[in-house]
Amino acid sequence: MSSITGGLADTKQTAASPIRSSLWRQAFRRLRKNKLAMAGLAFIVFMFLVCFFGPLFSPYANNKINPAIMNQAPSFKHWLGTDLLGRDVLTRLLQAGRISLTVGIASMIISVIIGSILGAVAAYYRGIVDQIIMRIADLLLTIPSLPILFILGALLSEWKVPVEYRMYIVMLMLSFVGWPGLARLVRSQMLTIREREYMQAAIVLGLNDRRKLFNHMIPNIVPLLIVISTLSIGGAILSESVLSFFGLGVMPPTPTWGNMIDAANNLIDFEQHPWLWIPPGVAIFTTVIAINIFGDGLRDVLDPKQKK
Amino acid sequence: MKNNVIEIDHLSTYFYTEEGAVKAVNDVSLRIREGETVCIVGESGCGKSVTAMSIMGLVEEPSGKVVDGRIHFEGRDLLRIDKHELRQIRGNDIAMIFQEPMSSLNPVLTIGMQVMEPLMEHQKLSKKEARKRAIELVELVGISRPEQIVDSYPHELSGGMLQRIMIAIAISCNPKLLIADEPTTALDVTIQAQILDMLRQIKEESNTSILLITHDLGVVAEIADYVIVMYSGKIVEEGDVVELFEHPLHPYTQGLLRSKPIIGQRQDELYSIPGQVPNPLELKESCYFYDRCEHCMSICRTQQPVLHSRAGRQKVACWLYEEGVSHG
Amino acid sequence: MSTYLMRRLMYMILILLGASLLIFLLYAMMPGDFVTNNFKLPAERKAELREIYGLNKPVLERYMNWMNNAFHGNFGFSLSQQKPVLTLFNDYIWNSFLLAITSTFFTWLLAVVIGVVAAYKQYSWFDTMVMIFIFAAMSIPSFFIGLFLIKIMAVDLKWLPPGGMLVTGSNATGMEYIKEVVHHMFLPVVVMTLLGVGSLTRYFRSNMLDVIRQDFIRTARAKGMKERVVLYRHALRNAMLPAITLIGFELPGLFGGSLIIEKIFNWPGIGQLYMQSFTVRDYPLLMGFTMFIAILTVIGTLISDILYHVADPRVKL
């Protein structure tokens, strides 16, 4: 019996997929027409390429400490100058970009997974499950996230977490404060879909739970999830930079854009060696703006509610 | 012979979509005489509402645009006067009633305020005078307790009452032309009749011309003096209501009339015109109705018929009635 | 109305109780405290102080104590400043409020005006510029833009002071005092406005776009209303309506200060106080602050709800 329904589901899937894929194709065609969004995407791709492959071509990738050339201003040899240990700032900036981008994306993935699963479960089962999940989410949304992050960051330091693991824990911390909002969004979206006519029709048709969930509800929130995920990468990169700037996130020697700006906490570096902290700030700003513009372009083509 | 209140010549309004231009109104000409009720009938998407919006100058730019034509009204061409002048005509000399009374009134302003607005704007009444007049108007459209009603908000009234309010707003400045875009579609049947009665009463008492847009032939039969049938942005047939109902010429009009149930005659299946309205993006040089037409000829597929006069005021755009066309 | 409010209030209290427990546990988890972290004190003195402050009691008992005091309006005693937490809040909060209210005012003003005009001229070059500006404002790392502006305006150009609220050792009074404060406020207010204006402008723009497409706007135009009247009387009122809920959400920001901005600009506000206390692990103050913001958040949400019901004639409690 189960094999029969399975087979039926499969034929349904193949029958529906051309329509679905053409909807996606239509969305991508419209996205390609959005010049601003495409520029954003191009910049994101560029940033990834230079951060992940750029250091391979840098003669200074070994981060060798060289007191002879410390704190040099930008020159042809060192495009963005050198830091107080004589390391090449540009190379470090790209290496930091790897970490910052990775932390941003990883924490987005974790919080989207937690948030959408919990949100979907809450919306689907309603009742007590919904109550428990949403009350926890409410609770976490009530407490300001920055102090929570600070405390967690301080805990890491007190517990002497090895520096190389900190970046993974920072990802988890950011997901911890990121999921409640996502769960709430997914839940409300699912509840709206439940009330739509086609869902009512699916119920009248007597489709089983799994079919309802996988053929009707999940596909309908995927576009929203893609949009939210993209936009939340930007937020995660910003949060990571704040934490690292205050010395509570990822710590040196692992470079991130945030902890590179930490140089500005030193009065002399702040006033006299701006090449140490301005480039990482500009890198954060440009990357996040590109992500936000691209995410907004995605929203225009994927989220029909926001379509103009 | 009565004077024409408004003369529309060769009006064309296009909408520009990602897939291409849609000719929503395609070379439409019509006249409305003083005190006459003209109905435009057609299926949804045939351009009847866009015609009304073009007259009012309310076509959404930049997606839509009136690309050609003239609209003569009191010696002026509404398409060529400036915005300021047009604004003084709207709501004053030409007023409009819309399909959805529920959403056509502003939810956060009182009924009174919304009735008073055109009075203060066009008739330059003071706030006090406007309020007095608003109460009279609300009473005129048959709503009891007008003093309380003017201080209530739209959500506190029923759809039928709101449409009466819309009518009160529309007639507040004694317009020469009243455009009603599907004014009864969203309402219950009993309310529909009351609203139609009210429109007829307005026409008789103040000699207002009415342009009524509808897809309901019952409404047409009840109120129209003159009927215009539109299909895919073009007029396919027009004529006095009696002529047209008794001798429909265009196969589309015939189809429309056949698909209307007749009281006293039970049919097992109601007639419906086969096929679907053509995609507005894929219109070619042909009669737009050819693939649904039971009299389709070879010329219908390659050339567009022109609207020509027949008996009386009746006009039709169909190759069946053209001389020298081989039938069959 | 009253049952609804009662239910809301009950839920508020429950959420706050949950929040207080969570906050307490988070801070209790942090190893080290104000006394142990102080290297100057000899071991016996530390033990003595821990006894006095009740730091050696079990966590649960400490929590009960804390809550008990909180219900009596006592949020504890700051160990580093040797003052009651509430007194300290009162000392610093108004400085924070000054910054927040000024920047909130400019944020809303700019957002409404720019948002409405951009929506009205959708797809125009102005609208495109606004969209780019919105994305830029939403993508700025707050601490970086603060540092950057200090470097340019204060360090390099010397037009504005680099931080603080008054010139060090200043004893200006009257107009002089006001002038000095405004001078020092300028940069932080610019940064805070910049940080908030992006999303709010976008909010008003999209609200306005939704409203402009509504049937009743068409009706207003069909009545021959002036475009100005259509825009401000008919459209803006409807677009502002959902924005009223935001007023409540501004509450924590208005009184809670800004950790990052106050720290960067060395502004003597409650956020800066928090950051100082954080380094010395002054728990009563840290917990009090976090709890304070949680309370503001909950009250703000309630106010938003009530305001929305008051403002919209369609919704009845």
Side-chain angles (χ1 to χ4, degrees):
Chain A
M1 188 66 208
S2 69
S3 73
I4 295 170
T5 42
L8 271 178
D10 280 347
T11 47
K12 174 111 199 302
Q13 200 67 42
T14 40
S17 61
I19 303 165
R20 207 166 276 165
S21 77
S22 92
L23 275 177
W24 285 107
R25 206 173 305 146
Q26 212 185 352
F28 281 112
R29 210 181 58 221
R30 291 226 311 280
L31 184 63
R32 270 208 301 274
K33 277 193 190 162
N34 184 340
K35 286 188 205 107
L36 211 55
M38 290 323 284
L41 179 64
F43 188 81
I44 297 168
V45 171
F46 166 78
M47 212 60 186
F48 264 89
L49 291 179
V50 294
C51 286
F52 283 86
F53 298 108
L56 302 180
F57 301 99
S58 163
Y60 314 106
N62 53 9
N63 277 321
K64 224 176 77 191
I65 293 168
N66 187 351
I69 53 166
M70 58 186 256
N71 286 331
Q72 283 188 350
S75 62
F76 278 113
K77 226 169 145 211
H78 298 279
W79 292 356
L80 293 175
T82 58
D83 66 7
L84 81 163
L85 297 176
R87 294 173 298 189
D88 180 55
V89 172
L90 178 61
T91 308
R92 265 185 81 72
L93 185 73
L94 299 183
Q95 289 166 335
R98 283 182 188 176
I99 308 291
S100 290
L101 290 170
T102 311
V103 170
I105 290 172
S107 65
M108 172 277 285
I109 291 173
I110 301 170
S111 45
V112 166
I113 289 175
I114 301 177
S116 53
I117 289 180
L118 288 180
V121 165
Y124 193 74
Y125 291 103
R126 312 285 277 273
I128 185 78
V129 182
D130 185 17
Q131 285 290 324
I132 293 173
I133 293 174
M134 291 329 286
R135 292 308 78 90
I136 294 175
D138 277 356
L139 194 61
L140 287 177
L141 286 171
T142 305
I143 306 174
S145 59
L146 213 48
I148 296 190
L149 288 176
F150 280 178
I151 300 163
L152 294 175
L155 273 180
L156 295 188
S157 308
E158 298 282 356
W159 285 341
K160 308 271 185 302
V161 172
V163 176
E164 57 269 30
Y165 292 127
R166 278 190 78 112
M167 107 179 219
Y168 302 105
I169 297 174
V170 167
M171 293 174 192
L172 291 176
M173 280 160 53
L174 293 176
S175 322
F176 178 70
V177 295
W179 75 264
L182 277 163
R184 207 183 239 191
L185 195 76
V186 169
R187 174 178 172 275
S188 75
Q189 197 68 14
M190 295 277 276
L191 287 180
T192 329
I193 290 169
R194 256 181 106 107
E195 300 308 315
R196 297 255 171 86
E197 278 88 356
Y198 61 80
M199 257 331 271
Q200 300 295 330
I203 293 166
V204 172
L205 286 173
L207 298 187
N208 65 32
D209 281 11
R210 220 197 56 194
R211 285 272 288 279
K212 272 189 292 198
L213 195 62
F214 287 95
N215 281 6
H216 294 273
M217 294 179 82
I218 304 275
N220 276 296
I221 63 162
V222 165
L224 176 85
L225 274 185
I226 292 178
V227 172
I228 299 298
S229 317
T230 313
L231 291 173
S232 67
I233 297 177
I237 290 177
L238 284 179
S239 303
E240 182 275 325
S241 70
V242 171
L243 273 185
S244 299
F245 170 73
F246 285 113
L248 297 165
V250 183
M251 301 238 255
T254 317
T256 73
W257 288 334
N259 69 31
M260 282 179 80
I261 304 178
D262 185 38
N265 284 330
N266 175 324
L267 192 66
I268 294 171
D269 284 343
F270 175 65
E271 291 191 348
Q272 284 159 30
H273 309 139
W275 61 86
L276 293 181
W277 59 273
I278 290 184
V282 173
I284 296 171
F285 176 54
T286 48
T287 307
V288 175
I289 198 175
I291 290 172
N292 281 343
I293 287 179
F294 177 65
D296 192 72
L298 270 180
R299 184 206 303 275
D300 275 352
V301 299
L302 288 182
D303 192 1
K305 266 196 316 177
Q306 298 279 334
K307 216 190 291 171
K308 268 119 220 176
Chain B
M1 184 140 182
K2 285 178 177 172
N3 293 326
N4 288 331
V5 169
I6 192 164
E7 295 177 6
I8 298 168
D9 291 316
H10 307 294
L11 179 72
S12 292
T13 303
Y14 295 176
F15 284 90
Y16 299 96
T17 67
E18 281 175 29
E19 283 85 24
V22 173
K23 299 177 176 178
V25 178
N26 189 353
D27 193 15
V28 163
S29 302
L30 63 92
R31 272 139 186 66
I32 302 172
R33 294 176 183 172
E34 233 171 64
E36 186 182 49
T37 301
V38 172
C39 281
I40 302 183
V41 271
E43 293 165 84
S44 45
C46 73
K48 51 193 197 302
S49 291
V50 181
T51 306
M53 297 308 268
S54 307
I55 298 173
M56 294 294 284
L58 291 177
V59 175
E60 290 273 335
E61 296 202 26
S63 57
K65 197 171 175 354
V66 179
V67 291
D68 196 17
R70 279 187 183 78
I71 301 175
H72 292 288
F73 179 81
E74 299 203 312
R76 285 178 285 189
D77 181 353
L78 297 189
L79 296 177
R80 277 162 194 83
I81 56 179
D82 65 37
K83 276 184 187 164
H84 178 71
E85 222 174 322
L86 184 62
R87 195 175 59 69
Q88 286 176 328
I89 292 173
R90 285 206 293 248
N92 192 15
D93 298 313
I94 304 178
M96 188 157 177
I97 306 166
F98 299 96
Q99 178 174 347
E100 290 286 344
M102 294 292 206
S103 58
S104 294
L105 286 163
N106 194 326
V108 300
L109 297 179
T110 60
I111 298 291
M113 184 65 199
Q114 299 188 58
V115 183
M116 284 151 67
E117 271 186 340
L119 292 166
M120 298 193 290
E121 179 69 34
H122 301 301
Q123 313 242 307
K124 309 292 173 211
L125 297 188
S126 71
K127 205 161 185 177
K128 222 171 159 187
E129 294 164 334
R131 187 183 158 85
K132 213 175 131 237
R133 180 80 186 115
I135 293 172
E136 287 168 20
L137 281 164
V138 171
E139 197 167 15
L140 194 71
V141 293
I143 295 175
S144 51
R145 299 184 297 111
E147 291 87 357
Q148 280 114 299
I149 295 295
V150 291
D151 289 323
S152 51
Y153 288 92
H155 72 277
E156 296 166 315
L157 273 60
S158 69
M161 283 167 97
L162 291 177
Q163 196 61 300
R164 286 161 192 269
I165 298 294
M166 284 299 291
I167 294 177
I169 294 172
I171 61 170
S172 63
C173 299
N174 296 315
K176 303 199 172 55
L177 174 64
L178 179 62
I179 301 175
D181 185 359
E182 305 257 10
T184 57
T185 308
L187 304 174
D188 292 342
V189 185
T190 47
I191 314 287
Q192 285 189 12
Q194 294 172 9
I195 297 289
L196 286 179
D197 265 347
M198 188 165 294
L199 289 177
R200 198 181 295 128
Q201 203 183 328
I202 290 164
K203 171 189 149 184
E204 276 158 18
E205 281 172 11
S206 33
N207 204 30
T208 309
S209 306
I210 296 176
L211 176 65
L212 191 123
I213 287 151
T214 183
H215 65 271
D216 185 344
L217 289 166
V219 171
V220 177
E222 206 158 315
I223 197 167
D225 298 315
Y226 193 79
V227 186
I228 292 168
V229 184
M230 281 185 78
Y231 188 79
S232 288
K234 291 192 86 74
I235 296 179
V236 293
E237 183 167 7
E238 56 178 275
D240 285 331
V241 64
V242 182
E243 284 174 86
L244 194 115
F245 271 62
E246 278 180 5
H247 309 288
L249 294 175
H250 199 283
Y252 177 63
T253 320
Q254 291 168 355
L256 276 184
L257 287 167
R258 265 173 77 191
S259 47
K260 187 167 168 46
I262 301 161
I263 295 175
Q265 283 184 26
R266 290 229 171 172
Q267 288 151 304
D268 286 340
E269 213 176 310
L270 211 51
Y271 176 77
S272 71
I273 303 172
Q276 283 172 343
V277 182
N279 182 345
L281 289 163
E282 288 162 7
L283 293 177
K284 286 183 283 289
E285 177 68 22
S286 68
C287 171
Y288 297 154
F289 191 61
Y290 79 87
D291 57 345
R292 301 173 76 184
C293 182
E294 46 194 6
H295 308 290
C296 180
M297 302 175 288
S298 54
I299 191 170
C300 303
R301 298 170 189 277
T302 52
Q303 273 189 52
Q304 206 159 40
V306 185
L307 200 64
H308 277 149
S309 290
R310 297 286 131 192
R313 283 176 80 188
Q314 201 164 2
K315 292 178 188 173
V316 67
C318 179
W319 289 117
L320 281 175
Y321 306 98
E322 298 295 326
E323 309 252 325
V325 172
S326 67
H327 291 208
Chain C
M1 165 93 189
S2 57
T3 45
Y4 170 81
L5 264 184
M6 279 309 290
R7 280 224 333 264
R8 282 300 311 263
L9 281 172
M10 285 305 293
Y11 183 57
M12 247 176 74
I13 291 168
L14 279 178
I15 279 285
L16 281 179
L17 277 177
S20 71
L21 187 61
L22 193 65
I23 290 168
F24 190 88
L25 289 180
L26 272 174
Y27 285 104
M29 265 199 315
M30 278 172 72
D33 53 50
F34 179 68
V35 178
T36 24
N37 277 20
N38 194 332
F39 299 111
K40 285 182 230 148
L41 293 173
E44 315 87 73
R45 179 71 184 138
K46 278 188 182 174
E48 210 177 294
L49 281 172
R50 285 175 64 84
E51 180 71 38
I52 293 170
Y53 294 135
L55 289 171
N56 49 1
K57 293 204 179 99
V59 173
L60 203 64
E61 199 185 324
R62 272 156 60 199
Y63 172 69
M64 296 311 271
N65 260 337
W66 184 56
M67 282 312 286
N68 191 25
N69 288 336
F71 274 119
H72 291 96
N74 174 8
F75 272 81
F77 194 80
S78 160
L79 306 175
S80 61
Q81 314 253 356
Q82 294 296 317
K83 272 184 187 170
V85 169
L86 279 184
T87 314
L88 277 170
F89 281 1
N90 194 37
D91 291 347
Y92 285 83
I93 223 165
W94 300 107
N95 294 339
S96 289
F97 182 72
L98 181 65
L99 268 196
I101 193 80
T102 318
S103 56
T104 306
F105 171 76
F106 285 116
T107 308
W108 279 68
L109 186 72
L110 284 173
V112 170
V113 174
I114 300 176
V116 167
V117 176
Y120 188 64
K121 302 190 168 183
Q122 195 189 7
Y123 303 128
S124 67
W125 69 267
F126 177 79
D127 184 39
T128 312
M129 295 301 292
V130 167
M131 286 311 284
I132 292 174
F133 163 75
I134 287 172
F135 288 124
M138 285 168 66
S139 313
I140 296 175
S142 52
F143 63 96
F144 174 70
I145 190 71
L147 292 168
F148 187 73
L149 286 179
I150 294 173
K151 163 83 176 140
I152 302 285
M153 307 298 279
V155 176
D156 292 349
L157 297 172
K158 299 199 167 31
W159 285 349
L160 291 161
M165 194 164 142
L166 291 167
V167 177
T168 322
S170 160
N171 43 19
T173 49
M175 272 316 285
E176 277 303 306
Y177 175 82
I178 294 173
K179 251 174 80 183
E180 217 174 294
V181 172
V182 169
H183 200 52
H184 282 76
M185 266 171 75
F186 190 84
L187 272 186
V189 166
V190 166
V191 172
M192 283 170 83
T193 306
L194 202 57
L195 291 171
V197 79
S199 51
L200 200 63
T201 306
R202 184 172 143 124
Y203 180 82
F204 278 115
R205 180 180 172 275
S206 71
N207 267 1
M208 202 60 188
L209 280 177
D210 284 345
V211 172
I212 285 178
R213 277 192 287 268
Q214 304 270 326
D215 287 349
F216 59 80
I217 294 299
R218 191 182 56 186
T219 308
R221 291 211 172 103
K223 289 198 293 190
M225 295 291 106
K226 293 191 182 79
E227 274 304 292
R228 196 166 39 80
V229 176
V230 174
L231 210 56
Y232 289 100
R233 188 188 294 158
H234 287 266
L236 188 57
R237 273 199 203 192
N238 280 279
M240 286 295 282
L241 200 63
I244 282 178
T245 57
L246 295 183
I247 292 176
F249 297 126
E250 296 275 9
L251 195 70
L254 279 178
F255 292 95
S258 161
L259 300 188
I260 298 170
I261 302 299
E262 288 177 10
K263 167 90 174 133
I264 297 283
F265 287 97
N266 199 21
W267 185 263
I270 194 165
Q272 158 90 313
L273 179 68
Y274 179 88
M275 295 303 271
Q276 276 172 11
S277 317
F278 197 86
T279 22
V280 293
R281 303 279 187 269
D282 189 349
Y283 292 130
L285 204 146
L286 298 179
M287 290 191 298
F289 175 82
T290 317
M291 198 57 213
F292 176 62
I293 306 244
I295 294 172
L296 288 179
T297 310
V298 170
I299 295 178
T301 316
L302 182 73
I303 292 179
S304 288
D305 257 29
I306 294 174
L307 278 179
Y308 187 69
H309 286 96
V310 169
D312 191 340
R314 282 164 297 188
V315 189
K316 288 260 147 57
L317 275 183

